[in-house]
Amino acid sequence: MKYIFQFLRILLFCFLGELLHSLLPLPIPSSIYGLSLLLAALKIRLVKLEQIKEASGFLIAVFPLLFVPGAAGIMELGPLLAEIWLPVLLSIVLVTALVMAAAGKSAQVVIRWKETRHG
């Protein structure tokens, strides 16, 4: 029964994200709204981690399975990808490097900010 209530709490934030997405004229996915609201609720202790911990752990554990249909769909595009493999490869490498650099820089900023804040 505990898992059901934890899932319902998470679903409530998904619903609130859908609601915000329909009300605000911004090109932000509803899932981002929902996750942001859930993060805010966790930070202000409106929702305690123990109230969603097991259900969110389960969702994280099954998350990789959600990529299987997408990977299978890409395999059907083999002939098309064979024609444009070089631009695709270059864009993947470039975007991966940019994301890694941005994540590293962001982590450095947060670490420096925490060090200056906490002494």
Side-chain angles (χ1 to χ4, degrees), residues 8-56:
L8 287 175
R9 282 186 188 97
I10 294 170
L11 283 175
L12 172 67
F13 285 95
C14 293
F15 173 73
L16 292 173
E18 291 286 343
L19 193 63
L20 275 178
H21 180 69
S22 66
L23 293 175
L24 299 176
L26 300 172
I28 298 173
S30 58
S31 58
I32 301 300
Y33 284 126
L35 286 173
S36 299
L37 290 172
L38 181 57
L39 176 63
L42 285 166
K43 292 298 271 182
I44 64 172
R45 302 213 191 321
L46 182 64
V47 173
K48 293 177 179 49
L49 182 59
E50 297 79 31
Q51 294 175 322
I52 61 166
K53 188 172 185 173
E54 287 85 6
S56 58

Side-chain angles (χ1 to χ4, degrees), residues 102-119:
K105 198 64 165 168
S106 300
Q108 288 176 345
V109 168
V110 169
I111 289 169
R112 283 191 200 116
W113 177 75
K114 281 188 174 185
E115 286 175 350
T116 58
R117 186 172 168 215
H118 296 291

